[in-house]
Amino acid sequence: MNLLAGKTAVVTGAARGIGKALALKFASEGANVAFTDLVIDENGKKTEEEIAAYGVKAKGYASNAADFAQTEEVINKIKEDFGSIDILVNNAGITKDGLMMRMSEAQWDAVIAVNLKSAFNFIHATLPIMMRQRSGSIINMASVVGVHGNAGQANYAASKAGLIALAKSIAQEVGSRGIRANAIAPGFIETAMTAALPDEVRADWCKKIPLRRGGQVEDIANVALFLASDMSSYVTGQVIQVDGGMNM
């Protein structure tokens, strides 16, 4: 049984990494997938082909998620190309780490714009479509540092905490229209970014995790599928930590 058959999902920042894993998971369950990234290069084209291999419609759109006007334009194109938008995943994100005393205004502004303002942009553009349909699932990709904070990541933690509060607020605003909004807070996930960390750093992380391992992108994708599908039809305004028990 395809849990998302006939639905259209929009995933931001999905040419690679966790976003790509989500897009492929949705496609494997029958969803047509539109995804965005800053540029649609060879990686983006490959992602498009991999999604389409599931027999669904797939298209990548080059767009700066932090730009309000570009977001309005790309959502209009997606609506025109796909006909509906049933699932929105705000996954676009960057890091520019540094201790607060040394953090520049540019570092702060860039992370808030890409991680948090982009979610506002996409929700603002997509809500009218979902409200007319009287259905929809919005998923904000947060982080455990948005729940607990992290030294050296004040900008990133603040942006991720904002995504959690944003999901809870939207859930209250549009729940009566059949629209749900939730957040996922990944912990230490095995990606290209974490693979570049020194072995001793990775080992130290795993010692703090009750399951004694890093998570896989598939772990995040499975939770996203739950929140995107009717399996979670009575779940809204929640933040689900996917961290192996690291932050209980």
Side-chain angles (χ1 to χ4, degrees):
M1 179 178 69
N2 288 336
L3 294 173
L4 302 179
K7 295 185 181 296
T8 295
V10 176
V11 186
T12 70
R16 57 188 64 76
I18 290 175
K20 177 178 179 178
L22 267 60
L24 291 172
K25 174 64 71 173
F26 291 168
S28 73
E29 290 291 339
N32 298 313
V33 180
F35 67 93
T36 72
D37 220 301
L38 195 56
V39 294
I40 300 298
D41 53 14
E42 290 183 7
N43 283 327
K45 289 296 182 183
K46 183 179 179 183
T47 297
E48 194 175 276
E49 292 170 1
E50 290 179 42
I51 295 170
Y54 285 100
V56 300
K57 185 172 182 176
K59 188 171 182 179
Y61 298 80
S63 174
N64 178 1
D67 187 289
F68 184 85
Q70 283 191 38
T71 300
E72 292 280 342
E73 183 179 349
V74 79
I75 286 296
N76 287 336
K77 287 180 181 177
I78 292 171
K79 177 64 166 62
E80 183 179 333
D81 292 343
F82 286 79
S84 68
I85 297 176
D86 306 288
I87 302 152
L88 169 65
V89 181
N90 290 305
N91 173 74
I94 61 170
T95 58
K96 290 186 180 292
D97 297 346
L99 295 173
M100 177 59 79
M101 289 291 290
R102 298 173 185 169
M103 184 175 293
S104 68
E105 181 183 11
Q107 286 176 299
W108 175 272
D109 288 348
V111 170
I112 296 299
V114 175
N115 296 8
L116 183 55
K117 184 173 184 289
S118 66
F120 161 76
N121 293 341
F122 271 87
I123 293 172
H124 189 275
T126 305
L127 269 184
I129 298 168
M130 291 184 171
M131 289 178 74
R132 284 194 293 271
Q133 296 170 176
R134 299 192 70 82
S135 66
S137 175
I138 296 168
I139 303 168
N140 286 350
M141 195 59 60
S143 167
V144 291
V145 305
V147 180
H148 302 280
N150 196 35
Q153 288 192 306
N155 51 1
Y156 186 75
S159 71
K160 295 301 186 177
L163 286 173
I164 292 170
L166 177 60
K168 290 176 177 290
S169 299
I170 295 302
Q172 294 182 47
E173 286 188 18
V174 296
S176 63
R177 301 297 186 96
I179 301 167
R180 298 179 294 107
N182 295 283
I184 298 174
F188 186 79
I189 306 300
E190 301 281 359
T191 63
M193 185 184 299
T194 56
L197 294 172
D199 289 342
E200 59 270 22
V201 174
R202 292 164 54 83
D204 185 56
W205 269 96
C206 288
K207 287 178 184 177
K208 300 174 183 176
I209 301 171
L211 292 183
R212 295 294 189 270
R213 65 174 179 86
Q216 304 298 314
V217 292
E218 187 77 4
D219 296 318
I220 308 300
N222 287 336
V223 175
L225 173 62
F226 167 72
L227 291 176
S229 74
D230 290 340
M231 287 192 296
S232 60
S233 62
Y234 202 55
V235 178
T236 194
Q238 303 303 307
V239 51
I240 300 177
Q241 296 186 69
V242 186
D243 62 3
M246 180 172 64
N247 289 304
M248 295 188 189

